[in-house]
Amino acid sequence: VLSFEEHFHAKKMFEVRELLLIFQLILDAMEKLLGILDVNNAAHFVMLESSLKIQELILSWSYITALIPKRIIKAFESLNNIKQQPSLRLSTHWQIMLRRRTIEVFFIIYWRIREHPALQLRGINCLIQLSTLSGPVFSQPNSSFTYFRDYVELLMMMLKNCDLCENEAFGISTIIRKLLMIHNVKVEMAKMDDGLVKEFLGAMVVLTVKFMDI
């Protein structure tokens, strides 16, 4: 049995090396699959289901933050084994997350699978986790704002082109709640285009009314 110090070190190395590499490889495969994706094709379905399962696990991973004392991390990990998924707090190594195309791939895939219950839940969980991105990954000036803006733009594009079903209400409302909780919305929205801000606020009103009727 590993001591906590050994566990801490091994987990940190795995996150920085293997886990990031796995995420990149699966993301590349998902992006290539988009060009030929047919969810009704059994082989495509299995490939996408496996890919989303892996990505959901990676995005829901309880990442180690070096600035937090180890005793707190240990307690935090124990709590996460019982309760809800932790926010996606990443180190500077995860610059791939700041590419608009990264989150765009997840939005496009969700759009294509949202009518398939076996895939829809994993897809929306990935989007929820991406909405919580925070931490040292935003080390560059304005990187947090750019990510927030890109996410909101892609969310609005999806919402404008689909009629949400009852089983999507919780997931979409959770995304919006996480965006408002995790990000410095007052600062980020002040930098955003007025049209996008109005569209986002308007969508929240429309969805609130819609979800109350569901």
Side-chain angles (χ1 to χ4, degrees):
V1 179
L2 293 177
S3 67
F4 180 71
E5 286 71 21
E6 292 171 327
H7 164 77
F8 179 92
H9 179 72
K11 183 177 180 181
K12 187 63 179 177
M13 290 301 99
F14 177 71
E15 291 172 5
V16 172
R17 299 173 185 171
E18 284 77 10
L19 206 57
L20 175 56
L21 178 60
I22 293 170
F23 179 84
Q24 291 175 318
L25 290 174
I26 299 297
L27 182 66
D28 288 344
M30 290 167 63
E31 187 170 7
K32 290 178 181 177
L33 183 60
L34 279 178
I36 59 171
L37 180 60
D38 177 5
V39 184
N40 295 316
N41 180 302
H44 290 188
F45 187 95
V46 171
M47 288 175 61
L48 194 53
E49 184 178 36
S50 298
S51 297
L52 284 173
K53 182 177 181 179
I54 294 171
Q55 297 297 58
E56 182 185 10
L57 287 171
I58 293 174
L59 294 173
S60 304
W61 185 269
S62 177
Y63 290 88
I64 291 175
T65 302
L67 297 178
I68 300 178
K70 294 179 182 179
R71 67 179 185 279
I72 297 179
I73 293 174
K74 185 175 183 179
F76 181 67
E77 288 187 334
S78 298
L79 186 63
N80 283 329
N81 289 333
I82 303 173
K83 298 192 175 182
Q84 63 183 4
Q85 297 170 332
S87 297
L88 184 59
R89 184 175 176 83
L90 298 177
S91 69
T92 55
H93 296 89
W94 289 79
Q95 292 300 301
I96 189 174
M97 290 297 187
L98 305 186
R99 295 190 315 165
R100 180 185 176 96
R101 184 58 178 171
T102 297
I103 49 178
E104 188 176 32
V105 167
F106 282 95
F107 269 105
I108 294 173
I109 285 179
Y110 180 76
W111 169 255
R112 303 281 293 275
I113 65 172
R114 51 190 292 268
E115 296 181 358
H116 296 264
L119 300 176
Q120 186 267 342
L121 183 59
R122 293 196 185 281
I124 199 67
N125 281 341
C126 288
L127 290 178
I128 289 172
Q129 288 304 102
L130 287 169
S131 74
T132 70
L133 183 64
S134 62
V137 67
F138 292 131
S139 59
Q140 297 299 315
N142 291 320
S143 57
S144 177
F145 162 70
T146 302
Y147 183 86
F148 180 81
R149 181 199 61 201
D150 288 346
Y151 194 102
V152 171
E153 285 180 349
L154 291 168
L155 178 62
M156 292 300 99
M157 288 172 60
M158 186 182 75
L159 293 179
K160 285 190 295 186
N161 290 284
C162 71
D163 185 18
L164 295 181
C165 302
E166 182 176 351
N167 66 336
E168 296 178 283
F170 179 76
I172 297 298
S173 61
T174 300
I175 285 175
I176 294 176
R177 179 171 60 85
K178 296 287 188 180
L179 282 172
L180 299 178
M181 286 176 56
I182 301 297
H183 300 273
N184 192 338
V185 179
K186 185 176 181 180
V187 173
E188 308 297 20
M189 283 194 170
K191 301 177 185 177
M192 284 170 56
D193 178 76
D194 288 343
L196 181 58
V197 173
K198 291 179 181 178
E199 186 179 1
F200 182 50
L201 296 176
M204 285 195 290
V205 173
V206 172
L207 291 174
T208 298
V209 174
K210 181 180 180 64
F211 292 162
M212 287 176 66
D213 291 335
I214 290 179

